[in-house]
């Protein structure tokens, strides 16, 4: 039976206070029956008890969710583009068109439940970073819900990567950070490394000359570092973490596979926690990049470190069909699967983050809150934003997703985004 969804407005009350009722709140590893109070004025989550009993404020609106799940908004830490726009391509006409393209992505992306994210640049020549980065910094979106999804800062995936693990990155633009931070500043632009930096996360290969001192300098500046596109041995990867790296970019992809005598980067997940802090790690659960069992092994090894990412590119959100790509080649999009027309090779991902959560649920046997944690609480913690994003605790931003959990006859589960709220304002409603 369909539950009844009801929104009750209380006339004459303009407090901006909204009370969600009859909902399952995502709190840690549990789903909890309860109410949630938010303010559409401040865009923050409120303390319901305090509002009701101390301030005697009645809600302006009561939203009955009919028993559905109310989760913090989803966070994607690796998104290369979507809706036909690629963050790594500067339009020829004018850089103003770039800013417009970013805004268009933000407004469409929010309807998928992704309320904040890291726009991600693949390896590029310096001029691309220097034009693009000022548009990609943490905006707070002026705390205006009409701007859509919010950038938490850019993710620069490269160009300080190992050429032997370049994947789809253009090997000719890859660099070595031999002179440490000054090489990074020359590449990304000196002002883009100064605080406050538009860059939130940099993926680099720790075995490159100068990489360890670069990691130390970046993390001292508040920029997070992730290990990726790397040939690192276990020891080299560990040295990267000791220098300050706190994340692994798309674990298993573009790195050495696990070897029993040298477990490589993957080995970091098995390290005793007193020796180093186990890093967070990105997982692309699109059914193409990784075998479900590999995902389950990684999750069992370090459940609190797993972060689901889409790594999606500009064809995400576009209809199925054949699209022009670079150098005259073409890509066929069939659902989430993208293949090169000429040879059928995998050409990236176009999955939505909520579908990664659904896959993760079905493949690992995780509970719904455990799976949602991998796109809310865990990425927020990795970015040092655990009090602001990825939580329904008082004082956090009122970025929320209403999810319907559907179950097929065979027991397969599916999470569907019914509503999205940004800064306490409803910005998407499926029904
Ligand atoms: Zn990559």
């Amino acid at each position: 039976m369909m539950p009844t969804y009801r929104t009750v407005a209380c006339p004459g009350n303009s407090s901006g206070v909204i009370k969600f009722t009859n909902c399952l709140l995502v709190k840690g590893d549990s789903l909890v029956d309860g109410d949630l109070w938010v303010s559409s004025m401040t865009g923050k989550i409120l303390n319901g008890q305090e509002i009701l009993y101390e301030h005697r404020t009645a809600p302006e609106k009561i939203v009955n969710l009919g028993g559905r799940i109310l989760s913090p908004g989803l966070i994607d830490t690796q998104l290369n583009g979507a809706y036909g726009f690629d963050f790594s391509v500067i339009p020829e006409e004018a850089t103003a068109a770039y800013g417009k393209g970013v805004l268009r992505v933000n407004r469409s992306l929010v309807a998928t439940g992704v309320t904040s994210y890291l726009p991600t640049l693949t390896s590029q020549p310096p001029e691309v970073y220097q034009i693009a980065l000022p548009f990609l910094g943490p905006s707070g979106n002026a705390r205006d819900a009409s701007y859509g999804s919010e950038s938490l800062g850019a993710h620069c995936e490269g160009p300080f990567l190992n050429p032997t693990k370049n994947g789809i990155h253009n090997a000719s633009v890859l660099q070595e950070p031999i002179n440490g931070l000054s090489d990074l500043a020359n590449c990304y632009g000196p002002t883009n490394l100064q605080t406050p930096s538009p860059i939130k996360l940099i993926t680099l290969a720790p075995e490159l000359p100068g990489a360890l001192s670069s990691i130390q300098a970046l993390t001292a500046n508040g920029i997070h570092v992730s290990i990726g596109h790397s040939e690192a041995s276990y020891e080299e990867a560990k040295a990267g973490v000791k220098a300050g790296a706190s994340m692994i970019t798309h674990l298993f992809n573009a790195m050495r596979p696990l070897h029993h005598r040298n477990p490589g980067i993957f080995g970091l997940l098995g390290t005793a926690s007193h020796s180093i802090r186990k890093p967070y790690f990105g997982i692309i659960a699109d059914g193409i990049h990784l075998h479900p069992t590999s995902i389950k092994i990684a999750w069992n090894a370090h459940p609190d470190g797993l972060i689901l990412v889409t790594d999606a590119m500009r064809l995400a959100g576009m209809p199925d069909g054949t699209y022009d790509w670079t150098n005259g080649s073409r890509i066929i999009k069939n659902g989430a699967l993208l293949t090169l027309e000429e040879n059928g090779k995998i050409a990236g991902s176009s999955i939505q983050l909520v579908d990664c959560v659904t896959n993760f649920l079905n493949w690992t046997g995780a509970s719904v809150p455990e799976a949602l944690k991998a796109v809310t609480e865990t990425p927020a913690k990795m970015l040092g934003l655990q009090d602001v994003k990825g939580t329904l605790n008082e004082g956090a931003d009122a970025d929320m997703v209403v999810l319907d959990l559907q179950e097929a006859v065979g027991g397969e589960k599916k999470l569907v985004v019914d509503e999205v709220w940004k800064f306490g304002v409803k910005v998407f409603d499926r029904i």
Side-chain angles (χ1 to χ4, degrees):
M1 197 183 78
M2 280 288 286
T4 45
Y5 313 134
R6 233 155 39 96
T7 301
V8 180
C10 308
N13 179 338
S14 57
S15 63
V17 172
I18 302 165
K19 177 186 173 187
F20 292 86
T21 186
N22 196 11
C23 42
L24 289 170
L25 305 174
V26 177
K27 294 261 180 174
D29 287 342
S30 318
L31 285 178
V32 182
D33 268 314
D35 299 336
L36 190 80
W37 297 63
V38 308
S39 167
S40 59
M41 302 277 196
T42 62
K44 294 204 176 270
I45 293 170
L46 301 169
N47 179 331
Q49 298 289 324
E50 209 176 281
I51 289 289
L52 201 57
Y53 298 110
E54 285 180 31
H55 303 297
R56 300 189 185 277
T57 307
E60 181 179 335
K61 216 189 277 178
I62 299 171
V63 182
N64 182 341
L65 289 184
R68 288 174 295 170
I69 297 163
L70 186 59
S71 164
L74 316 186
I75 304 168
D76 191 354
T77 59
Q78 194 167 1
L79 180 72
N80 305 293
Y83 309 100
F85 185 79
D86 187 332
F87 294 118
S88 299
V89 176
I90 310 295
E92 274 169 27
E93 56 272 28
T95 51
Y98 184 85
K100 280 186 188 159
V102 174
L103 183 59
R104 193 163 55 78
V105 171
N106 293 348
R107 286 186 168 147
S108 302
L109 183 65
V110 81
T112 69
V114 175
T115 50
S116 57
Y117 73 110
L118 303 187
T120 302
L121 297 168
T122 52
S123 297
Q124 300 298 329
E127 55 271 24
V128 171
Y129 295 107
Q130 294 177 22
I131 296 171
L133 283 170
F135 290 95
L136 302 179
S139 51
N141 273 5
R143 300 192 70 77
D144 181 340
S146 72
Y147 289 117
S149 190
E150 170 193 356
S151 167
L152 301 174
H155 175 179
C156 294
E157 192 193 11
F160 301 97
L161 307 178
N162 198 315
T164 62
K165 294 290 179 200
N166 63 318
I168 59 150
H169 291 237
N170 179 356
S172 73
V173 301
L174 299 185
Q175 299 189 35
E176 291 183 342
I178 298 172
N179 305 305
L181 198 61
S182 67
D183 284 350
L184 273 73
N186 286 337
C187 174
Y188 300 124
T191 54
N192 289 330
L193 286 184
Q194 284 163 7
T195 314
S197 170
I199 305 172
K200 196 76 180 168
L201 182 68
I202 292 179
T203 294
L204 54 73
E207 71 277 21
L208 297 179
L212 297 180
S213 70
S214 302
I215 295 172
Q216 282 166 347
L218 288 169
T219 49
N221 273 2
I223 296 173
H224 301 266
V225 175
S226 186
I227 296 172
H229 288 268
S230 160
E231 282 281 3
S233 64
Y234 174 62
E235 287 72 22
E236 287 167 329
K238 213 168 153 180
V241 173
K242 281 192 171 153
S246 54
M247 166 92 181
I248 305 169
T249 295
H250 47 57
L251 183 71
F252 299 115
N253 296 116
M255 60 189 61
R256 286 188 195 178
L258 171 79
H259 186 279
H260 56 286
R261 274 189 232 99
N262 191 330
I265 295 170
F266 178 78
L268 295 173
L269 271 57
T271 311
S273 46
H274 63 264
S275 115
I276 55 159
R277 200 167 152 208
K278 285 189 195 183
Y280 297 94
F281 56 98
I283 284 285
I284 311 171
D286 62 353
I288 300 157
H289 281 80
L290 294 173
H291 192 282
T293 301
S294 306
I295 297 175
K296 196 166 180 183
I297 290 170
W299 184 56
N300 287 340
H302 184 21
D304 291 335
L306 190 143
I307 295 173
L308 293 170
V309 302
T310 61
D311 199 11
M313 45 80 99
R314 69 171 160 89
L315 295 184
M318 300 290 278
D320 283 358
T322 304
Y323 293 87
D324 285 333
W325 198 237
T326 47
N327 305 325
S329 59
R330 299 199 317 161
I331 287 183
I332 300 169
K333 179 179 184 299
N334 182 6
L337 179 66
L338 302 175
T339 47
L340 279 175
E341 190 182 46
E342 66 245 37
N343 55 20
K345 276 192 181 171
I346 295 168
S349 155
S350 66
I351 195 164
Q352 286 189 1
L353 195 56
V354 70
D355 296 327
C356 294
V357 181
T358 286
N359 288 339
F360 186 73
L361 267 178
N362 290 319
W363 294 341
T364 61
S367 67
V368 170
E370 282 174 329
L372 286 168
K373 187 177 174 178
V375 289
T376 55
E377 184 185 319
T378 310
K381 276 186 178 161
M382 186 270 288
L383 298 167
L385 297 171
Q386 61 276 4
D387 298 327
V388 191
K389 300 289 182 194
T391 172
L392 297 179
N393 288 344
E394 178 195 348
D397 284 339
D399 295 356
M400 297 161 305
V401 186
V402 177
L403 295 161
D404 186 24
L405 178 64
Q406 303 175 350
E407 209 155 327
V409 184
E412 287 264 303
K413 291 173 183 149
K414 186 172 169 60
L415 281 168
V416 177
V417 174
D418 272 0
E419 291 177 19
V420 183
W421 294 68
K422 179 73 189 162
F423 297 131
V425 176
K426 183 152 71 173
V427 290
F428 172 76
D429 195 338
R430 190 177 65 89
I431 300 159

